[in-house]
Amino acid sequence: MEQALLNIGFGSTVVSDRVVAIVSPNSAPMKRLKDEAREERRLIDATHGRRTRSIIVLDSNHVVLSAIQAETVSQRYAQLRETADPAAPREA
């Protein structure tokens, strides 16, 4: 069984099947999520020193920070899902 990797920028990837949510980091709840993950040592910073533009939540409850816009990561995720299962229904 081959696992598809989702490119989250600057050479970093996550296993696409593990992604639960891709969100923008601008709201207070997302900042709280990031701070709590850091305190509990569940935070993975994949920004390579750049500004955080998206937060990816994994099914293992890890939180991944990316310097790529959430919309861009979401589009890449949708493309991966489409190529993995071409019979799956598409969004309108």
Side-chain angles (χ1 to χ4, degrees):
M1 181 171 99
E2 190 173 317
Q3 295 179 338
L5 296 176
L6 174 63
N7 180 352
I8 59 169
F10 306 104
S12 299
T13 58
V14 295
V15 177
S16 64
D17 291 341
R18 307 289 307 256
V19 174
V20 174
I22 302 167
V23 294
S24 176
N26 301 330
S27 68
M30 292 305 110
K31 290 177 184 175
R32 218 171 12 256
L33 176 76
K34 180 175 78 169
D35 292 341
E36 289 172 2
R38 179 175 282 124
E39 289 173 9
E40 296 171 10
R41 303 184 58 84
R42 297 182 288 111
L43 184 71
I44 301 168
D45 188 349
T47 62
H48 294 272
R50 294 169 177 84
R51 188 172 142 235
T52 300
R53 296 194 173 167
S54 64
I55 297 176
I56 302 159
V57 181
L58 304 179
D59 63 355
S60 62
N61 212 20
H62 283 83
V63 175
V64 182
L65 306 180
S66 173
I68 303 296
Q69 291 285 355
E71 294 82 14
T72 303
V73 177
S74 295
Q75 288 173 352
R76 291 177 183 177
Y77 180 77
Q79 286 176 341
L80 266 180
R81 300 313 260 168
E82 187 175 294
T83 57
D85 188 8
R90 294 183 181 164
E91 290 185 26

